[in-house]
Amino acid sequence: MKSKVAATEGRFAYEGLDRVIHERARLSILTSLITSPRGLTFNDLKQLCSLTDGNLSRHLTVLEKDGMVDIIKGHEGSRPLTLCRISVSGRKRYLEYLTTLEQVIRDSAKLAESASPSLRKLAASEA
């Protein structure tokens, strides 16, 4: 009988590749937010990340439930305004994620250097 494993329990080759962050849209959202300490409006974030309202909303929900972003709803005049900010724990996890990616690059470079000449030639021809 096959056991059921939740998607968040799956493994990557590197332990530190955070599954919540390691998704293109969420990585884009967090990268945008970490460079904007005051936060970004929903519309600005939507434009920066090239996402639809629904996609951005869904990804923000995942990030908010995981404690990585703070969503502040308010008004600017009579218009509703949603402000998104990376949380303190979100910033810490994002930086840890980047450290792991740097390790992936270092390990990959070492493997490429130690590859046999025929494999290096093959890799160079595919590039």
Side-chain angles (χ1 to χ4, degrees), residues 85-126:
R85 286 192 195 132
I86 193 165
S87 67
V88 171
S89 65
R91 179 177 303 279
K92 181 179 183 279
R93 280 177 61 188
Y94 178 86
L95 295 173
E96 288 169 354
Y97 174 82
L98 290 181
T99 299
T100 302
L101 281 181
E102 289 170 346
Q103 186 62 50
V104 170
I105 293 166
R106 284 190 296 275
D107 291 350
S108 297
K110 282 181 193 174
L111 285 172
E113 287 173 7
S114 66
S116 68
S118 59
L119 284 177
R120 282 192 296 243
K121 186 176 180 181
L122 177 64
S125 69
E126 290 179 355

Side-chain angles (χ1 to χ4, degrees), residues 1 5-6 26 32 52 56 66 69 79 81 89-90 106 121:
M1 183 173 187
V5 177
R26 290 193 287 268
S32 297
T52 64
L56 178 56
D66 215 41
V69 298
R79 297 179 55 181
L81 180 72
S89 65
R106 284 190 296 275
K121 186 176 180 181

Side-chain angles (χ1 to χ4, degrees), residues 17-37:
L17 287 178
D18 190 315
R19 290 188 71 89
V20 173
I21 300 171
H22 197 74
E23 194 287 323
R24 188 197 68 79
R26 290 193 287 268
L27 182 58
S28 178
I29 291 165
L30 291 171
T31 300
S32 297
L33 292 176
I34 205 161
T35 60
S36 302

Side-chain angles (χ1 to χ4, degrees), residues 58-77:
R58 175 67 186 121
H59 288 297
L60 284 173
T61 298
V62 169
L63 292 168
E64 183 180 36
K65 282 183 180 178
D66 215 41
M68 297 190 71
V69 298
D70 298 317
I71 309 295
I72 302 107
K73 296 192 181 255
H75 288 84
E76 188 175 86

